[in-house]
Amino acid sequence: MQINSHPGELTMINIISQPRIRNDTMDTLSSRIQNGDVPAVCRSCEARHGGVCSALTPAQLVELSKHSSRRTIDAGTEFIGQGESISSYSNILKGVVKLSKVMADGRQQIVGLQFAPDFMGRPFLGESRMAAEAAIDTEICVFPRRAIERLIAETPGLEHLLHSQALKELDEARDWMLTLGRKTAQEKVASFLALIASHSDPEAEEKSMFELPLSRADIADFLGLTIETVSRQMTKLRKEGIIQIENNRHVTVPDLGRLVAAAGND
Amino acid sequence: MQINSHPGELTMINIISQPRIRNDTMDTLSSRIQNGDVPAVCRSCEARHGGVCSALTPAQLVELSKHSSRRTIDAGTEFIGQGESISSYSNILKGVVKLSKVMADGRQQIVGLQFAPDFMGRPFLGESRMAAEAAIDTEICVFPRRAIERLIAETPGLEHLLHSQALKELDEARDWMLTLGRKTAQEKVASFLALIASHSDPEAEEKSMFELPLSRADIADFLGLTIETVSRQMTKLRKEGIIQIENNRHVTVPDLGRLVAAAGND
DNA sequence: CGGGTGTTTGAAGCCAATCAAGAGTTGTGG
DNA sequence: CCACAACTCTTGATTGGCTTCAAACACCCG
């Protein structure tokens, strides 16, 4: 099937216009590669194994890498706006991205966090239903929309991978609905800490240490609470000995079991 | 980097051919086919056009229909339990199904509503992460797990369809996260009514009438509220003239615009 | 040092939950 | 057809948890 039958104006990638994003092209690198080889830029990429690129052949990687570019996004930079047209997809190489929705009066809800090597973008939809913002300094690999959609059409394995990720995100979203709808403030905060712990240290059984990727304000927006309530509940968990906090962001969990129990997860 | 350097599409085209190409009436299609006629049970099925079966060839339908069966489920009957192993998938032919999660202490949250002709099931996962219960009397068409997974593997169009539905459900789940996390009780109830109105009468511009498929208790579990609060907010909306209620379940919305505004949706 | 930002803590207020009772609806059986 | 029970929904009174308002504290960087 032909994909790009009607050439027209490209809707602008707004991240390009943001001053704080650096962007180095890969063309020089990929042009040196012989056909069939994995592009040099991809070789060192963590996302190539867990991410969408793992479904691609070396030849497809070469082709895709010609049109893709890495970007570094500083913490706090919004790189996709709610309602904005989507002209690119990307893989997260490093960092954490928050997906959020805002109401007309400014109330905000974070509806998802994405970590490396997640794929970002909403296939088959022209316009983003939420904003994407780097929670901490983040690196992404950006692909033009058309290139990805062509690859999806010709690579069933890729669609399967994206389908699986969509289902995983759906599971996570529904888990979070239970948290938002039915848990107390303390359980919400504990749930959030347990979520971050499981991402920064998936193997850990008992003890865990990590840097919070989100500010108190972000945590509040993720949990449907206010900053003050988040702070109070963190203090409460600290006083109960379930967590230790240093420098606001550094958290130690001596006993994950107690944290999970405080989160209300069986 | 140059900003407007690439040619591109102006309008977003769904690159994979949608199976609704087969929209020419089934009579002509099946009369053209000798060996692979559409099974009699499928011919009258509404779900065959909008649901997963629309991605299948007549031959595949014949094969699948040999292993599938219709089932009628009375309102209030739970037919998949949380944590239960999944041995089948199904299409909703008629009715409404609620998907819910419960906590150890009994707190419950409805995380999704499914209407005809939605596909139900969680592909690629052995065990259900939530319970499924008929909200009203419901009919489903049940397929064995193996049969569907085989079809997915050999029919890219089917995986695409399921992928699209998963993305749609993900969008809906995230919309609902905003409702759960950031809206007031009144906005929540109005959001729920607007949701039901849009499902029972997708065309309606101004006025809408429908039967609520959920009891007050269910609505409360969907909105993260208590029965009493739901009842009070319904009364409030009624007294404000935004809705009319008869026999508890029958709702009339004279002005959808006012309802949507009360729901806090721009 | 001083301004800026982010976090914590305190006091007061409010929205939704809880507790409690009454009203309406449905179904059953005499 | 009515009586009665069981259930659902509504309404009222009170409580409590989270928000709001306010101020102090901590950290960073010029």
Side-chain angles (χ1 to χ4, degrees), chain B residues 15-251:
Chain B
I15 54 165
I16 296 185
S17 71
Q18 290 283 3
R20 63 191 194 83
I21 292 166
R22 223 177 283 123
N23 253 358
D24 39 341
T25 55
M26 246 34 215
D27 313 71
T28 37
L29 183 61
S30 52
S31 61
R32 264 190 259 124
I33 296 169
Q34 293 294 339
N35 207 7
D37 264 356
V38 172
V41 277
C42 299
R43 244 173 252 153
S44 63
C45 176
E46 308 154 33
R48 189 159 62 89
H49 300 101
V52 288
C53 299
S54 64
L56 303 178
T57 65
Q60 286 176 316
L61 274 180
V62 169
E63 183 57 27
L64 183 59
S65 69
K66 281 184 196 154
H67 305 290
S68 60
S69 57
R70 289 202 184 201
R71 227 183 116 185
T72 302
I73 302 166
D74 291 341
T77 304
E78 177 180 298
F79 60 98
I80 298 175
Q82 188 171 353
E84 193 171 281
S85 78
I86 303 174
S87 54
S88 63
Y89 297 126
S90 48
N91 258 344
I92 302 180
L93 306 180
K94 185 167 153 297
V96 178
V97 172
K98 38 184 229 222
L99 305 175
S100 62
K101 286 174 177 282
V102 289
M103 293 174 64
D105 60 6
R107 279 176 286 177
Q108 191 168 40
Q109 175 69 45
I110 292 178
V111 297
L113 290 181
Q114 310 235 258
F115 303 81
D118 288 347
F119 174 81
M120 275 192 309
R122 168 61 168 85
F124 325 126
L125 196 70
E127 138 172 339
S128 176
R129 302 180 46 137
M130 57 215 168
E133 180 182 327
I136 55 178
D137 291 353
T138 296
E139 273 179 52
I140 62 177
C141 187
V142 185
F143 316 110
R145 181 188 169 88
R146 287 282 169 75
I148 288 290
E149 293 184 346
R150 192 182 316 120
L151 282 175
I152 291 176
E154 68 191 30
T155 315
L158 178 56
E159 174 129 45
H160 179 70
L161 207 73
L162 293 176
H163 184 192
S164 293
Q165 182 177 323
L167 288 169
K168 191 195 80 185
E169 286 178 27
L170 182 56
D171 286 340
E172 288 167 358
R174 286 175 167 163
D175 283 343
W176 211 248
M177 286 173 70
L178 177 62
T179 299
L180 288 174
R182 288 304 185 197
K183 289 188 182 176
T184 65
Q186 169 142 12
E187 288 169 332
K188 284 179 174 182
V189 171
S191 296
F192 169 74
L193 294 170
L195 176 73
I196 299 302
S198 72
H199 267 277
S200 52
D201 214 347
E203 319 290 280
E205 289 286 318
E206 188 173 329
K207 193 175 174 180
S208 180
M209 292 175 56
F210 49 87
E211 292 291 314
L212 289 177
L214 266 55
S215 69
R216 299 292 187 274
D218 287 338
I219 298 171
D221 280 343
F222 194 30
L223 295 170
L225 299 170
T226 59
I227 301 176
E228 295 94 323
T229 299
V230 170
S231 178
R232 275 185 252 271
Q233 298 303 331
M234 297 268 282
T235 303
K236 197 148 163 263
L237 288 170
R238 183 168 49 73
K239 286 183 176 163
E240 289 169 1
I242 295 176
I243 57 170
Q244 289 143 27
I245 307 176
E246 288 152 42
N247 294 328
N248 287 335
R249 291 276 188 128
H250 187 82
V251 174

